[in-house]
Amino acid sequence: MTSAVASFNPLDLTHTDDPYPRLAALRRDRPVSSPLPGWHVVVRDEEVRAVLADPEVWSSRRNNTSVQGDERELALSQVDPPAHTRLRRLLSPAFARTVLAELEPVVRERAEALADQVGNGSDLVPAFTAPLPRTVLAAFCGVADADAPDYDRWAAAFTDLLGHRAHSDWPAFERWALRAADGPALGGVLARLDRTEAVTFLHFLIVAGVPNLRHALGNLVLRLLAEDHWRSDGLPEAIEESLRLDPPALWQMRTATRDTAVAGTTVRAGQRVIAVVASANRDPERWGEDADTFRPGRSGLRAHLAFGKGPHACLGASFTRLQLRVAAEVLIERHPRLRLAPGFRFRRAGDFMSRGPAALPVLCGVSSP
């Protein structure tokens, strides 16, 4: 007998406004569903982890892209081993602990400059959570002051991996990226790549880093304020719990390389599987009956799937954690009495895959008696 629970359609934006009740019902009654012909949605922790961990059965190749030609134009998230293994090995030194430690003062300086402009009635999204990832990524990529305004525009314009080469700003970005590839950007790692690969990676940094960090930071600020956790002590654990409860990327796509099965459901070669990490992160089978509750001290918290799992686990996870921690520390230090404006209601921003607050109106001063 087929359950009456409606499928989660990853291409229906109304399903991501508040996806969690629907996903909870699917975990109970339909762990694998098919909202579209040839598409299968998996929602339980066990199956999501299994899909993400096995690139031989579940391919990432050419997922979420309109690129049909040159393989060098495929992003890191769109290639399988061994090509993925080679690229990741070459690029990993740019995200080394020593590199990020040197970047922390820059993140703090830029967060402070933005936080000092926040006042009563400010909307933190345009004032803080949206511009900070752009300006930090520019510093990470070694963008010169003269190129900074252009880079900020590109970082706001390039939000996904679909059709970017047809964008009016692409030629200017590509010219800058080719210059950067020949210079010391990212510790010189781009020199190890083909020039087209280097341009592709610089674009991928924007797509993977800017919108997701904006949503992750917005989700974190909202969670800390809503849960009365607006303080610096215990912040690293609170960040992990926020990422678990409100991952900026809701799901990841894979393609079956051969006929197989997931939780007893047949999946044919070439069919798509949507692994909903946002659902796996709230699965009571892994996280307990209070899986929907904000509890930063829970055991094994870093095992959440907000950064994925397996060979495609986020290369910039440490970079993201650094930015979230420093940004939250700065906001809490500068605005210890920050609170959501009266009447705040969550409105979602993001595309089919991502979710964060569209606006965060706040008050900064002492509450009225």
Side-chain angles (χ1 to χ4, degrees):
M1 180 176 177
T2 302
S3 168
V5 177
S7 296
F8 175 83
N9 183 347
L11 303 184
D12 184 343
L13 285 175
T14 64
H15 287 196
T16 59
D17 285 339
D18 183 12
Y20 295 106
R22 184 192 302 267
L23 293 172
L26 287 170
R27 283 196 304 270
R28 290 191 303 268
D29 301 334
R30 295 180 68 189
V32 183
S33 58
S34 299
L36 299 166
W39 288 48
H40 305 275
V41 173
V42 296
V43 293
R44 295 192 311 202
D45 178 87
E46 180 180 356
E47 287 79 30
V48 170
R49 286 179 188 273
V51 167
L52 297 182
D54 191 350
E56 291 189 6
V57 178
W58 306 108
S59 172
S60 299
R61 189 170 180 271
R62 295 192 183 276
N63 286 336
N64 307 319
T65 183
S66 58
V67 173
Q68 297 299 320
D70 196 332
E71 291 278 331
R72 298 172 302 167
E73 296 178 9
L74 294 175
L76 188 64
S77 63
Q78 298 165 336
V79 292
D80 289 331
H84 176 270
T85 307
R86 177 185 70 87
L87 283 170
R88 188 170 179 118
R89 183 178 66 251
L90 293 174
L91 293 165
S92 291
F95 298 88
R97 184 177 301 178
T98 54
V99 175
L100 298 183
E102 293 176 357
L103 190 63
E104 180 168 344
V106 178
V107 178
R108 189 171 302 277
E109 176 187 353
R110 301 195 176 196
E112 288 173 347
L114 291 170
D116 287 344
Q117 301 302 312
V118 171
N120 273 337
S122 289
D123 181 348
L124 285 183
V125 171
F128 191 85
T129 68
L132 182 63
R134 299 198 301 265
T135 186
V136 169
L137 187 61
F140 182 60
C141 293
V143 175
D145 290 345
D147 294 319
D150 288 335
Y151 190 88
D152 193 66
R153 187 178 72 254
W154 301 328
F158 300 143
T159 58
D160 58 46
L161 295 169
L162 296 172
H164 53 278
R165 290 179 177 270
H167 196 285
S168 60
D169 267 337
W170 179 258
F173 172 80
E174 187 172 34
R175 287 192 296 271
W176 169 83
L178 286 169
R179 295 198 309 272
D182 289 333
L186 301 175
V189 300
L190 298 179
R192 306 172 188 176
L193 307 182
D194 172 276
R195 285 165 65 86
T196 299
E197 289 177 332
V199 172
T200 298
F201 182 67
L202 286 168
H203 171 249
F204 178 63
L205 277 179
I206 289 176
V207 174
V210 173
N212 280 339
L213 199 283
R214 166 194 166 175
H215 297 318
L217 183 52
N219 289 338
L220 172 63
V221 170
L222 177 56
R223 180 65 64 173
L224 294 179
L225 292 174
E227 301 285 352
D228 194 24
H229 202 281
W230 195 247
R231 56 185 183 274
S232 293
D233 60 291
L235 189 56
E237 293 78 14
I239 289 171
E240 298 303 324
E241 184 71 335
S242 175
L243 288 166
R244 182 188 71 82
L245 282 170
D246 305 300
L250 298 173
W251 50 268
Q252 296 185 26
M253 179 188 290
R254 297 292 188 268
T255 304
T257 60
R258 58 177 181 261
D259 291 355
T260 185
V262 179
T265 297
T266 298
V267 180
R268 300 297 183 190
Q271 292 186 334
R272 306 286 198 181
V273 166
I274 303 299
V276 188
V277 299
S279 177
N281 275 356
R282 296 188 180 213
D283 188 342
E285 290 298 315
R286 183 172 189 98
W287 300 104
E289 292 305 313
D290 68 343
D292 289 321
T293 302
F294 180 75
R295 182 162 64 84
R298 70 176 69 244
S299 177
L301 188 50
R302 279 207 171 206
H304 65 72
L305 296 174
F307 295 119
K309 183 177 176 60
H312 281 284
C314 179
L315 180 61
S318 295
F319 188 27
T320 297
R321 287 182 166 110
L322 167 67
Q323 292 180 78
L324 291 175
R325 175 180 58 79
V326 173
E329 287 174 350
V330 166
L331 272 180
I332 291 167
E333 175 187 311
R334 289 295 203 265
H335 303 288
R337 295 185 178 88
L338 194 76
R339 62 195 186 279
L340 294 168
F344 169 80
R345 295 185 63 183
F346 179 87
R347 290 188 298 108
R348 173 194 166 281
D351 56 18
F352 298 111
M353 297 181 68
S354 60
R355 185 173 185 271
L360 282 172
V362 292
L363 301 178
C364 302
V366 179
S367 301
S368 300

